[in-house]
Amino acid sequence: MDVAVRALARRQFWVVARRQLLGVGLGVDAIDHRLVSGRLHRLHRGVYAYGRADVSARGRWLAGVLACGEGALLSHQSAGALYGIVAAGRPVHVLSVHHASRADRLIAHHRTRAVDPHDRARRDGIPVTSVARTLVDLATVLDPMALRRCFEEADRVGIVALAEVAAACTRTRGRRGTGVLRALVAEAAAPSHTRSRLEAAFLGLCREHGLPPPEVNTSVAGLEVDMLWRQRSLVAELDGWEYHRARGAFESDRRRDARLAVAGYRVYRLTWRRLEREPEVVVTELRALLTAVA
């Protein structure tokens, strides 16, 4: 029997529920005996750590889900942490259709009347809200900038489908923050700007504010760079999101930057979003770099 319990606990980050122990044939007295002897440690009502009292973050998350009954899902900030798009924290957030049987300060229990099948997922063996539903739930508790960071991180690592987020927003129409989330989806779905448009906008900004014109798409240190002020040892690289969100491109950019730095060049990276939304800041930064001693 202990072999079966250990195998169950090992699959679940060393966390087990009382109903699971009963399911493998352990009796009530046997469970109580293991609690007294220290082989089980209470985490929540009816949920225990096996072997030792401390468990990993995933163990804590699964314990919270198990404590909230069948069909419960890790949700909100805890789900975001499991997906790697927001920092982990306490308490454990859980979504379920069940009433909380008893207040538990370690669990933030979010009750709902029903959970759409599309909103259910499983990650690392933990029942969790889908990425789309997680973003919808985060929209109700995060400010717009924090929600944008979560959305962009999910997009960057390739775990978000825009159509699924849009559908989740429709299913939860009227909830706080869904308007902001819809705007993020629309922005991400918009066609990306071409390299030539980005270059033209940058050169236009330089002309408009009297900045010295750079060399365009020229070679330095054996690399082709977007913009170069050779006499000032300054390179400007114009980054489009569609290409640079890929991990391989990210690593390649860092290798290029290091190679240019070794050759004595400073690198200024600029995105379309910054060029479009804060041109005055960009001009101020460029002017400072161009007048600084190389």
Side-chain angles (χ1 to χ4, degrees):
M1 192 62 64
D2 280 322
V3 172
V5 172
R6 180 180 175 82
L8 171 65
R10 185 167 186 167
R11 292 195 303 270
Q12 298 186 160
F13 309 103
W14 304 106
V15 169
V16 293
R18 188 178 186 88
R19 62 180 180 274
Q20 293 177 319
L21 296 175
L22 294 171
V24 298
L26 209 62
V28 172
D29 290 341
I31 294 173
D32 292 341
H33 173 70
R34 283 161 175 76
L35 283 167
V36 172
S37 65
R39 276 184 282 176
L40 293 176
H41 303 267
R42 185 183 185 278
L43 297 176
H44 307 286
R45 186 184 184 193
V47 180
Y48 317 109
Y50 177 88
R52 53 189 299 175
D54 58 317
V55 295
S56 66
R58 281 168 171 73
R60 288 193 297 102
W61 294 333
L62 181 55
V65 171
L66 292 173
C68 292
E70 294 289 347
L73 300 169
L74 195 70
S75 69
H76 294 75
Q77 290 95 325
S78 301
L82 178 58
Y83 286 121
I85 61 174
V86 70
R90 297 174 187 265
V92 175
H93 290 262
V94 179
L95 179 73
S96 82
V97 297
H98 303 288
H99 286 287
S101 58
R102 183 179 297 180
D104 189 328
R105 62 182 179 82
L106 299 178
I107 299 175
H109 192 176
H110 305 269
R111 187 172 180 270
T112 183
R113 285 180 293 182
V115 180
D116 189 280
H118 293 93
D119 292 337
R120 293 183 175 275
R122 184 173 288 269
R123 188 177 179 89
D124 296 344
I126 301 175
V128 61
T129 50
S130 66
V131 174
R133 176 56 189 262
T134 298
L135 288 169
V136 169
D137 290 335
L138 287 174
T140 67
V141 296
L142 298 181
D143 63 66
M145 286 306 298
L147 179 63
R148 174 182 286 277
R149 288 193 294 272
C150 291
F151 179 87
E152 291 182 346
E153 180 62 13
D155 194 21
R156 185 187 70 79
V157 299
I159 61 172
V160 65
L162 300 182
E164 292 177 5
V165 179
C169 287
T170 299
R171 289 195 297 273
T172 56
R173 189 184 301 277
R175 292 185 67 187
R176 176 188 173 190
T178 53
V180 176
L181 190 54
R182 284 179 183 277
L184 291 172
V185 171
E187 181 181 308
S192 59
H193 297 285
T194 63
R195 177 187 176 101
S196 60
R197 282 192 64 192
L198 186 53
E199 291 172 351
F202 180 82
L203 293 171
L205 186 74
C206 290
R207 287 193 299 271
E208 181 182 350
H209 293 273
L211 296 174
E215 299 175 46
V216 181
N217 296 331
T218 190
S219 295
V220 62
L223 298 169
E224 181 179 328
V225 298
D226 294 335
M227 305 288 164
L228 172 66
W229 291 269
R230 200 176 297 272
Q231 297 302 315
R232 306 310 300 167
S233 299
L234 178 64
V235 169
E237 295 281 59
L238 310 181
D239 292 346
W241 172 246
E242 288 300 319
Y243 173 75
H244 289 87
R245 67 180 173 180
R247 181 175 293 278
F250 178 88
E251 297 293 342
S252 176
D253 284 346
R254 271 61 198 169
R255 286 194 295 271
R256 285 170 56 86
D257 291 353
R259 187 169 166 182
L260 289 167
V262 169
Y265 289 87
R266 297 164 294 157
V267 179
Y268 177 72
R269 290 196 169 273
L270 180 64
T271 62
W272 176 270
R273 180 174 292 161
R274 288 200 65 214
L275 185 63
E276 185 177 50
R277 296 186 178 182
E278 44 188 66
E280 296 84 2
V281 176
V282 171
V283 168
T284 299
E285 292 171 347
L286 282 171
R287 186 166 282 126
L289 289 168
L290 289 166
T291 56
V293 176

